[in-house]
Amino acid sequence: MILFREYILPRLIQWLVVIFIGVTVTFLVPRLSPVNPVAQAVGRASAFQTLSPEATLALRESLMDLYGLNGTIWQQYINFWKRILSGDLGPSFTSFPMTVNAMIGNAIGWTIGLLGTTVIIAWILGVILGGLAGYFQDRWWSKLVENTLIAIYPIPYYIVAFVLLMILAFYFPIFPLVGGASGAPGFNWNYLSSLLKHSFLPALSIILGATAFRFIMSKALASTEVSSDYVQYAEMAALPRRKILFSYVIRNTMLPQVTDLGLSLGSIFEGALITEVVFGYPGIGNALYVAIISADYNMIMGVTLLSIVGIATASLLVDLTYPFFDPRVRYR
Amino acid sequence: MKTYSRISLFGLLLLVGILLVACGAGPAASPPAAGGAAPAPAAKQQEAAPAQAATNSQLPVDVPRNEVFVADQIFRYSVVDNFNFWINGPHTPHRHALMMETLWIRDQETGKRINDAAISGPKYNDDFTQMDVDLRDNIYWSDGVQFTADDMVYTVETIKGNPDLNAGGWSTQLNQFLDSVEKTGDFSVRFNLKDPNPRFHSLFEARWNGIYMMPKHIFEKVDDPATFTFNPPVTLGAYTVTQTDPNGFWELFTRRDDWDRTPAGIIVGQPGPKYVLTIFYGDSAKKAIAMSRGDLDVYFDVDFEAFQTTLDTTPTARSWYTKFPWAYPNEVSTRQLAFNIESDPIYAEKDVRWALALALDIVDLQTSYIGGVAKVTPLPIPPTASLTKIYLDPMEEWFQNLEIEIEPGVMYKPYDASVPDKIAAWAEGEGYTVPGAPREVFGTGWWKYAPDVAERLLVKHGFSRDNNGKWLKPDGTPWTMDLQSPPDENDAFRMANAATDMWSAFGIDVNLQGLERSVWSQNNYVGQFNVSTPWTSFALASGDAWPRVRALHPDFYVPNGEDYRSKGGGTLARINDPKLGEFIDQMQGLDPSSEENFAVTRKFLEYWVENMYDITAISFKKFVTWDERYWTGFPTSENPTYMPLYWFQGGKFAFESLKPVSQ
Amino acid sequence: MVVIRDLFRFSPSFRIGATILFFILVLVALSFFSPFAPDRRRAVPRNKEPSAEYIFGTTSTGQDVFWMLTFAVRNSLIIATVAVAIGRSIGVLLGMTSGYLGGLFDRVSSSIVDTFIVIPRLPLVILIASILRGHMTIIGLAVLLGLLDWARPSKRYRAQILSLREREFTHTGIFAGMNTFKIVTREHLPFLIPFLMADAVSGFLFAIGFEVTLSVLGLGDINSQTIGTQIYWGNYYQSLLTRRTWVLIAPVAASILVVIGFYLVSISLSTYLDPRTRLARMQIQG
């Protein structure tokens, strides 16, 4: 009971408040833009065909209504919350009549697939390599890995992605230039292998940087553990190296690493925007980018909402389950 | 140990860097040696053996390569699985070419009207209150039902009765003009108009598109035509859609077995490719790469550098002309430097606008900035073959005699008829052969490059120069100009760059803003700019101007600050000139294809030019490029049968003309 | 000075990092002697390969790549520095006051900070930058980036302060009667400074990365020279496709070198200054 009152309840309230404020900010900011979605839509409609003045006016009327841009900001805000709470993210402005729900539905699978696998792979690689490097600090291979990853880590992500694209899709055209997969979706080898082929470069670009980050973190943590008493004792007791490495060193670095993993998984919904734009990958990052450029408020709102909820919830879950992992917190 | 591995890492990076530089520093024309280990990108190997290339083709569908025509989809579809083209939203480019029919199609290359679902042109009664149309009696929907007048009447009445079916403003306009429609026979229809309107038929005559025919037998069973997704569509065109990518990157169309019972098949007389695949590869670079690999048979446009790459890597590819200037020059639109005359009083003065025009060197603009590949025109009328005959040629004498007043009593002739010849001389200096007379290839004359005269015009109105040679406005403040252009509209942005460089050299402080497309258009709408780079044409391919210039009528004028379309029409220039209104009123009642109409339009254009309301520089060009690896028969300058703009509704004839390359 | 000499002698990462930084600074200094103004186009013949006359070649807009690179590096560094200064100032102030004061202030400000952490930054920045596109200046970009990156750092500073407060030597100091100010400056600062430095450099790297990302998308100040805008213009004129890669390699290599240089220097400096390793070193030196 005390635990609930002192710890869980405030945390839950914080979760709600954070989402509420985040969503409000994302509601307001696009509306501060001078770009008027109705004007844009009318412009798009008259880009190819000549709309008569009467038709232009009629179009504007119907769009104002459709986009829910009638009324004051406050009224729009209220209507917006009503809609959101019933699960309807509204129609997309630029891709009418597609709904935001439908568009996110089409794209989310790709992002989750790409980021889900890369986050986990990078985490595992980083933890293991970092642990190894932290433990075997003086070996040549440890230093080589460390130096390579330290050199890669600071490079801006865009540059990494761009250089990969340049080398492996352009100069040596091994990988395709755009898209998520080829052919119609199905559980056949053709489709699945094309899936792998299309996602290899984006995944590689993410894994490089993410592994480097995890490695550095992991190595630092492992180094601290290595110099501690119980490890030295284990070594003197001639326990097998592998056991010391995995059961003692790496295991004790798990706490912050696992929470980081949780948070990383939560931010999957943010989408890998740059990755998807550079590699033409059809995930929600790409959809968000297009939405921003074309002033599609509903779409921006939908994806950002998903992202905010994802990150906040992951953070909440991590905080709530932390006591179960860390005995020290439990006994406080 | 530590030092060694760090140094070796650094050396490795350096090596990689040097390798890349070595790749890059090679001659631009040849493919990179790239260490020799991996196959050089496409270039030589692919074009030698098209049959082999079929096996490493990266197409997303499993059809024989020599039976499918791969076209550039231009953009990624965001609205998927919805073929209801009567509402605003679902994408129409090339889909309507392959599947939708209207009554007539106006071809932009020949300027002629082609009878699509109609068998002959519109027949008006004497006072233009009634229009009769005779339809083809030999065309069928893709499910075997014949197209009859019932479909026509159903289409018109359904659109008229449902304000949501307002793609192209059709519902609004039908309600505005049409009283009733009735069938006068199995294949003939009569339209009864509310008021005399000699242009009513333009609703059914495609420039971009015309009212699409709806299949009555499908739509009458549907509760709400506006929410019906019409998937898969029953088509009147020669193709049906058979596979779509849920992510919007590609779409596969299959030719109907009864292609000869569709208008395109009947008119062109041949089947066309068995499959058409539209696919979006990405930006210009990716399209050029795809074509070089044999994965793309036509792209709609790329930037100049990417096009050069195509020329270098894909010998079987060609655009409208096989050699310089390559690009298709006859798309009906032109590019302007447009003023917001209410943004600053100086722009409201016509002499200032003339001065700015005379401070531009059009030959330099067209050659260094545009590469010599677009036509020059001083009017918002592109110098296509048909429009030149109607407007530019008859007006040439007027241009040459045009005079403007520099100082009281001092007249000056600003027109330079030799501009095309100068460009031709430049082209020959670059080693190109000019494929025709300079006036055919490079457009018409333009204004002289006369900064000294421009200076005198400005001084006359109280402008002066400061100690650094920069211009000061009559009120003594420095002249700064906000010039806005979207970088992703290639030619517009390069034209803006040219204007920036030239006007800066002239002494104006030009602030070139490369804006996001949506922000740029927003600024245009509300008037937050001095000079912008829009594009338009004052005439349709048929030569009629009224539908395009109608918005300039002073009735639609909205003062600066509000969206200029608040009354439905208007122009970003904020022009409020009653004389323009007079011309427009005159045009309204005239038969659009009559010489009377054209004569009034010419007077309108003369007035427009005298006032220099905008500075039109070049017309549109597109590097519509076709690869002859698998398919041939498309329109070219040697074979200008139809326009090559395959994404317009009239592109159906280009598709239908394609034949496989015989091995 | 002794510090620098020691570092140079004993730490290979410092050696390499400092050497790289030296060259970068030479580049920046050279920018003041450039024969070409950074915004002047058509100053040299276009699209020329690297040669004796044009060390890194020329661009499609008629600018010398090498001299433009000097401006680009200078401007990118300025942007990153200003961004870090703004961001870390806010972060340090907020984090430290939060950590020291505790209580209600701490709880409220932590919630505010958590809210900002949750909002995805990249889309927000792209949104703002696309609205301001065409009006963005170098300093404007720097301010925008600075205002992005204060939330997470402030959390870290707060965490540091909290952990320092619980340490033994703090308690010792309090028992010994030192006032708060003395504790902060004498006991905590030596721990904080290396942390601050490492954190500032990571902020610096983040700012450079973001600047490159934004400018490459065309959302920075495309009329100025920065590393990102050089890449943007290189892409705009299809340098890859037309095999004129020298236009792109220069800024890409420069960006890699800048970040690696700063990073190496920072980790070697912070290892050196970290009181724990310093103690270990002192023990060894006897």
Side-chain angles (χ1 to χ4, degrees):
Chain A
M1 237 315 129
I2 297 181
L3 185 66
F4 185 76
R5 207 162 22 102
E6 295 267 315
Y7 189 62
I8 297 184
L9 191 60
R11 195 64 192 77
L12 276 174
I13 295 181
Q14 190 185 25
W15 176 74
L16 283 172
V17 167
V18 161
I19 291 186
F20 180 76
I21 297 183
V23 166
T24 306
V25 167
T26 332
F27 174 82
L28 287 174
V29 171
R31 281 168 172 75
L32 296 176
S33 150
V35 175
N36 180 327
V38 173
Q40 294 294 317
V42 172
R44 269 196 304 273
S46 50
F48 290 118
Q49 50 236 60
T50 322
L51 276 191
S52 74
E54 297 78 13
T56 309
L57 287 175
L59 188 58
R60 288 181 89 207
E61 289 302 312
S62 64
L63 284 174
M64 288 291 285
D65 198 43
L66 186 71
Y67 288 179
L69 294 172
N70 283 324
T72 64
I73 288 265
W74 181 246
Q75 281 171 321
Q76 292 179 34
Y77 187 59
I78 303 288
N79 290 338
F80 162 74
W81 271 113
K82 274 196 232 165
R83 197 164 36 83
I84 295 282
L85 290 173
S86 65
D88 175 16
L89 292 171
S92 157
F93 286 179
T94 41
S95 304
F96 181 79
M98 294 282 278
T99 59
V100 174
N101 291 35
M103 289 176 74
I104 292 186
N106 279 339
I108 192 93
W110 296 101
T111 302
I112 292 183
L114 179 69
L115 289 184
T117 45
T118 54
V119 162
I120 293 180
I121 292 178
W123 187 86
I124 294 179
L125 265 181
V127 164
I128 294 184
L129 287 175
L132 283 170
Y135 192 48
F136 298 109
Q137 284 195 25
D138 299 320
R139 304 291 177 85
W140 68 270
W141 46 262
S142 153
K143 296 194 206 226
L144 185 62
V145 169
E146 179 178 352
N147 292 333
T148 321
L149 288 177
I150 284 188
I152 292 181
Y153 169 64
I155 302 179
Y157 173 73
Y158 174 80
I159 307 254
V160 173
F162 186 62
V163 169
L164 275 179
L165 186 71
M166 206 163 96
I167 301 180
L168 291 174
F170 181 66
Y171 278 122
F172 305 109
I174 307 175
F175 291 99
L177 291 165
V178 75
S182 306
F187 274 112
N188 48 53
W189 174 243
N190 266 344
Y191 185 70
L192 290 173
S193 69
S194 78
L195 200 68
L196 281 173
K197 212 167 176 211
H198 283 259
S199 56
F200 186 79
L201 279 187
L204 183 62
S205 69
I206 298 178
I207 289 180
L208 280 176
T211 308
F213 179 73
R214 181 58 40 202
F215 171 89
I216 291 172
M217 199 61 56
S218 175
K219 173 168 183 282
L221 287 168
S223 314
T224 343
E225 291 304 313
V226 159
S227 53
S228 62
D229 293 339
Y230 69 92
V231 171
Q232 300 205 347
Y233 188 69
E235 287 188 340
M236 283 193 276
L239 288 174
R241 287 262 161 147
R242 192 151 46 98
K243 187 169 163 83
I244 301 181
L245 180 62
F246 283 102
S247 310
Y248 286 28
V249 175
I250 292 189
R251 180 138 170 236
N252 282 305
T253 64
M254 272 299 109
L255 269 173
Q257 312 257 51
V258 167
T259 58
D260 271 352
L261 178 64
L263 291 173
S264 299
L265 285 174
S267 56
I268 283 184
F269 295 104
E270 190 180 0
L273 203 148
I274 302 293
T275 313
E276 293 178 11
V277 167
V278 170
F279 293 104
Y281 206 71
I284 56 175
N286 207 336
L288 181 59
Y289 180 68
V290 170
I292 292 174
I293 300 303
S294 52
D296 188 348
Y297 295 169
N298 281 351
M299 191 65 195
I300 297 176
M301 201 54 247
V303 177
T304 319
L305 179 68
L306 206 58
S307 159
I308 290 179
V309 169
I311 297 179
T313 312
S315 176
L316 174 74
L317 287 175
V318 160
D319 280 348
L320 288 182
T321 53
Y322 202 79
F324 297 112
F325 290 129
D326 189 350
R328 293 177 286 187
V329 178
R330 228 184 298 158
Y331 286 119
R332 181 105 53 89
Chain B
M1 232 12 200
K2 230 177 175 189
T3 324
Y4 178 66
S5 44
R6 280 193 212 252
I7 291 181
S8 62
L9 171 72
F10 193 61
L12 194 68
L13 279 176
L14 211 60
L15 200 67
V16 171
I18 293 174
L19 212 78
L20 290 173
V21 170
C23 296
S30 66
K44 310 279 177 14
Q45 297 168 355
Q46 288 279 6
E47 36 106 307
Q52 264 178 19
T55 52
N56 8 313
S57 150
Q58 293 207 4
L59 296 184
V61 289
D62 207 4
V63 290
R65 182 65 179 92
N66 56 348
E67 290 185 356
V68 62
F69 179 76
V70 184
D72 174 17
Q73 192 175 277
I74 305 178
F75 60 97
R76 182 183 156 207
Y77 288 159
S78 53
V79 182
V80 292
D81 291 339
N82 192 331
F83 296 91
N84 184 344
F85 299 115
W86 295 270
I87 61 174
N88 276 307
H91 307 295
T92 46
H94 28 261
R95 283 167 161 189
H96 58 179
L98 293 166
M99 303 193 293
M100 297 285 131
E101 305 301 333
T102 183
L103 291 179
W104 305 283
I105 297 196
R106 178 71 64 169
D107 188 278
Q108 297 206 351
E109 172 57 29
T110 59
K112 294 203 185 40
R113 166 189 291 145
I114 302 178
N115 292 321
D116 193 22
I119 191 91
S120 56
K123 301 203 224 335
Y124 284 95
N125 63 356
D126 289 328
D127 60 356
F128 294 109
T129 52
Q130 238 176 36
M131 183 176 93
D132 289 331
V133 181
D134 291 322
L135 305 169
R136 288 188 191 268
D137 59 0
N138 51 357
I139 55 179
Y140 291 75
W141 296 97
S142 56
D143 58 358
V145 174
Q146 185 171 24
F147 171 77
T148 66
D150 290 326
D151 290 306
M152 173 97 231
V153 171
Y154 179 78
T155 303
V156 173
E157 287 182 340
T158 309
I159 296 178
K160 181 162 185 269
N162 192 335
D164 285 330
L165 298 177
N166 208 8
W170 292 332
S171 181
T172 315
Q173 289 174 94
L174 281 176
N175 277 297
Q176 200 183 342
F177 300 123
L178 184 67
D179 191 30
S180 66
V181 61
E182 62 210 356
K183 91 182 221 194
T184 53
D186 278 340
F187 299 101
S188 54
V189 178
R190 164 165 293 174
F191 295 86
N192 298 308
L193 309 179
K194 289 182 179 167
D195 297 300
N197 183 356
R199 292 181 172 82
F200 179 72
H201 65 278
S202 62
L203 283 173
F204 298 94
E205 181 172 297
R207 169 192 170 270
W208 165 249
N209 62 4
I211 295 185
Y212 304 127
M213 295 297 117
M214 277 180 172
K216 170 169 185 244
H217 58 286
I218 304 285
F219 272 83
E220 65 187 351
K221 302 201 191 102
V222 167
D223 284 329
D224 181 9
T227 53
F228 179 47
T229 56
F230 198 34
N231 181 16
V234 168
T235 69
L236 195 53
Y239 288 83
T240 52
V241 67
T242 43
Q243 264 190 68
T244 59
D245 174 31
N247 290 299
F249 284 105
W250 54 263
E251 209 162 50
L252 180 68
F253 299 85
T254 308
R255 183 186 68 213
R256 287 166 50 178
D257 289 328
D258 60 342
W259 57 269
D260 52 352
R261 301 197 302 183
T262 69
I266 295 173
I267 291 172
V268 177
Q270 57 176 53
K274 179 145 183 250
Y275 300 101
V276 172
L277 173 69
T278 63
I279 180 167
F280 174 66
Y281 281 108
D283 62 6
S284 291
K286 297 192 179 157
K287 290 188 228 194
I289 295 174
M291 186 174 274
S292 70
R293 295 198 217 174
D295 288 336
L296 187 60
D297 291 318
V298 67
Y299 54 64
F300 103 113
D301 195 19
V302 293
D303 57 38
F304 194 64
E305 288 78 19
F307 179 69
Q308 292 283 11
T309 311
T310 301
L311 287 180
D312 294 333
T313 58
T314 321
T316 44
R318 53 149 314 155
S319 190
W320 185 248
Y321 295 105
T322 45
K323 296 197 189 322
F324 178 87
W326 307 287
Y328 181 65
N330 293 329
E331 189 176 350
V332 179
S333 193
T334 61
R335 301 196 181 274
Q336 296 63 46
L337 289 156
F339 304 100
N340 178 354
I341 64 180
E342 291 192 355
S343 62
D344 189 314
I346 57 175
Y347 299 109
E349 174 53 58
K350 87 166 193 255
D351 281 343
V352 173
R353 302 194 291 263
W354 267 107
L356 285 172
L358 291 170
L360 290 176
D361 182 353
I362 188 69
V363 177
D364 192 23
L365 192 156
Q366 201 265 12
T367 55
S368 320
Y369 291 85
I370 306 289
V373 294
K375 290 190 187 172
V376 167
T377 169
L379 291 174
I381 306 258
T384 66
S386 51
L387 291 175
T388 309
K389 253 196 281 210
I390 300 177
Y391 293 113
L392 292 154
D393 280 342
M395 287 175 74
E396 176 71 11
E397 201 184 324
W398 177 86
F399 272 112
Q400 295 194 8
N401 293 326
L402 173 66
E403 288 183 330
I404 57 173
E405 194 180 41
I406 311 182
E407 285 108 22
V410 179
M411 306 305 282
Y412 175 75
K413 288 195 175 162
Y415 186 73
D416 179 355
S418 69
V419 166
D421 301 312
K422 292 186 181 140
I423 299 177
W426 168 87
E428 273 154 21
E430 296 284 306
Y432 299 125
T433 336
V434 178
R439 206 177 144 84
E440 273 169 32
V441 180
F442 298 116
T444 64
W446 210 77
W447 314 117
K448 295 181 181 148
Y449 177 46
D452 49 329
V453 176
E455 175 145 6
R456 287 159 69 183
L457 279 170
L458 291 176
V459 165
K460 170 168 118 182
H461 286 274
F463 286 79
S464 55
R465 290 201 190 252
D466 70 4
N467 295 335
N468 298 326
K470 297 263 181 213
W471 280 106
L472 301 171
K473 295 190 284 195
D475 60 6
T477 56
W479 186 357
T480 54
M481 175 196 288
D482 268 350
L483 172 53
Q484 299 179 354
S485 185
D488 54 321
E489 183 77 16
N490 251 293
D491 284 345
F493 195 60
R494 295 188 192 202
M495 187 177 73
N497 278 322
T500 306
D501 290 342
M502 292 172 192
W503 285 337
S504 299
F506 182 57
I508 306 173
D509 189 4
V510 179
N511 175 18
L512 172 63
Q513 296 169 2
L515 299 175
E516 198 56 57
R517 175 80 65 132
S518 50
V519 179
W520 172 77
S521 52
Q522 189 68 32
N523 284 352
N524 284 354
Y525 300 148
V526 297
Q528 219 171 318
F529 67 96
N530 292 136
V531 182
S532 182
T533 59
W535 44 91
T536 187
S537 166
F538 276 7
L540 297 172
S542 58
D544 185 25
W546 182 79
R548 307 289 305 177
V549 301
R550 198 184 155 198
L552 294 167
H553 199 288
D555 284 348
F556 295 118
Y557 163 75
V558 176
N560 199 25
E562 279 176 60
D563 189 323
Y564 73 80
R565 300 163 307 178
S566 306
K567 291 199 187 145
T571 158
L572 52 72
R574 309 279 168 178
I575 299 174
N576 187 10
D577 190 335
K579 190 92 174 75
L580 289 176
E582 278 172 37
F583 286 118
I584 294 172
D585 291 333
Q586 271 187 294
M587 287 179 215
Q588 183 166 354
L590 297 172
D591 179 345
S593 50
S594 65
E595 174 54 32
E596 251 192 291
N597 185 27
F598 298 147
V600 174
T601 311
R602 280 184 221 119
K603 289 279 163 243
F604 172 88
L605 292 170
E606 286 172 12
Y607 181 73
W608 183 263
V609 166
E610 279 163 2
N611 284 283
M612 190 53 77
Y613 274 126
D614 65 29
I615 303 180
T616 305
I618 52 177
S619 71
F620 262 40
K621 67 131 206 341
K622 283 248 171 13
F623 282 121
V624 183
T625 306
W626 309 75
D627 185 7
E628 257 175 318
R629 223 180 289 231
Y630 297 102
W631 298 98
T632 184
F634 41 82
T636 64
S637 62
E638 304 97 50
N639 180 27
T641 45
Y642 305 103
M643 62 187 184
L645 310 172
Y646 65 88
W647 55 100
F648 281 59
Q649 190 174 10
K652 58 178 76 259
F653 305 112
F655 278 119
E656 207 67 16
S657 309
L658 293 165
K659 327 192 256 280
V661 168
S662 36
Q663 292 282 34
Chain C
M1 274 311 106
V2 179
V3 172
I4 306 254
R5 200 197 56 199
D6 275 343
L7 274 171
F8 211 82
R9 218 189 296 164
F10 295 114
S11 167
S13 42
F14 185 79
R15 267 204 293 278
I16 300 182
T19 325
I20 297 179
L21 279 190
F22 176 70
F23 282 115
I24 299 290
L25 288 173
V26 163
L27 263 185
V28 172
L30 277 178
S31 73
F32 293 103
F33 299 102
S34 161
F36 307 110
D39 50 5
R40 195 171 138 223
R41 285 193 292 252
R42 315 226 282 169
V44 292
R46 287 180 295 173
N47 298 328
K48 290 261 175 274
E49 290 164 26
S51 61
E53 203 185 343
Y54 309 113
I55 310 180
F56 288 157
T58 67
T59 70
S60 298
T61 51
Q63 290 171 311
D64 184 318
V65 175
F66 174 73
W67 291 109
M68 292 305 112
L69 185 67
T70 60
F71 286 109
V73 171
R74 179 176 96 185
N75 287 331
S76 292
L77 290 181
I78 292 178
I79 293 177
T81 314
V82 172
V84 164
I86 295 178
R88 285 329 192 250
S89 312
I90 304 178
V92 166
L93 233 59
L94 197 59
M96 285 178 71
T97 28
S98 199
Y100 278 117
L101 288 181
L104 186 61
F105 179 85
D106 182 25
R107 230 141 2 135
V108 168
S109 68
S110 289
S111 304
I112 297 180
V113 166
D114 280 337
T115 314
F116 277 95
I117 286 188
V118 146
I119 298 177
R121 288 180 297 191
L122 185 58
L124 192 63
V125 154
I126 290 183
L127 183 61
I128 297 178
S130 68
I131 293 171
L132 296 174
R133 186 178 186 184
H135 301 287
M136 190 70 84
T137 62
I138 300 246
I139 297 300
L141 187 58
V143 169
L144 185 63
L145 293 179
L147 291 176
L148 274 190
D149 201 24
W150 58 267
R152 257 182 234 275
S154 88
K155 256 195 122 111
R156 285 197 291 264
Y157 293 126
R158 174 176 170 276
Q160 275 285 308
I161 299 293
L162 285 180
S163 96
L164 283 176
R165 272 172 68 181
E166 302 302 317
R167 292 287 183 94
E168 281 181 19
F169 58 82
T170 312
H171 294 307
T172 318
I174 295 179
F175 291 143
M178 288 170 115
N179 64 34
T180 327
F181 185 69
K182 272 221 189 95
I183 295 183
V184 169
T185 45
R186 288 258 192 89
E187 303 291 340
H188 290 174
L189 230 39
F191 278 95
L192 283 176
I193 289 185
F195 182 76
L196 244 155
M197 276 183 39
D199 192 57
V201 171
S202 105
F204 190 83
L205 298 178
F206 170 83
I208 289 192
F210 241 88
E211 183 270 313
V212 167
T213 306
L214 278 183
S215 299
V216 159
L217 293 174
L219 299 173
D221 180 358
I222 57 175
N223 290 323
S224 304
Q225 299 291 341
T226 70
I227 293 179
T229 59
Q230 277 206 305
I231 300 179
Y232 170 78
W233 284 113
N235 280 339
Y236 187 81
Y237 285 105
Q238 302 286 9
S239 308
L240 266 187
L241 197 59
T242 51
R243 312 272 191 261
R244 292 196 280 262
T245 44
W246 57 85
V247 175
L248 289 173
I249 289 190
V252 167
S255 72
I256 295 180
L257 287 176
V258 165
V259 294
I260 291 186
F262 272 102
Y263 188 65
L264 287 178
V265 167
S266 93
I267 54 175
S268 53
L269 262 183
S270 64
T271 324
Y272 188 82
L273 292 175
D274 188 347
R276 284 172 285 218
T277 56
R278 214 189 320 164
L279 286 171
R281 252 201 327 274
M282 279 164 44
Q283 275 175 345
I284 297 172
Q285 285 169 348

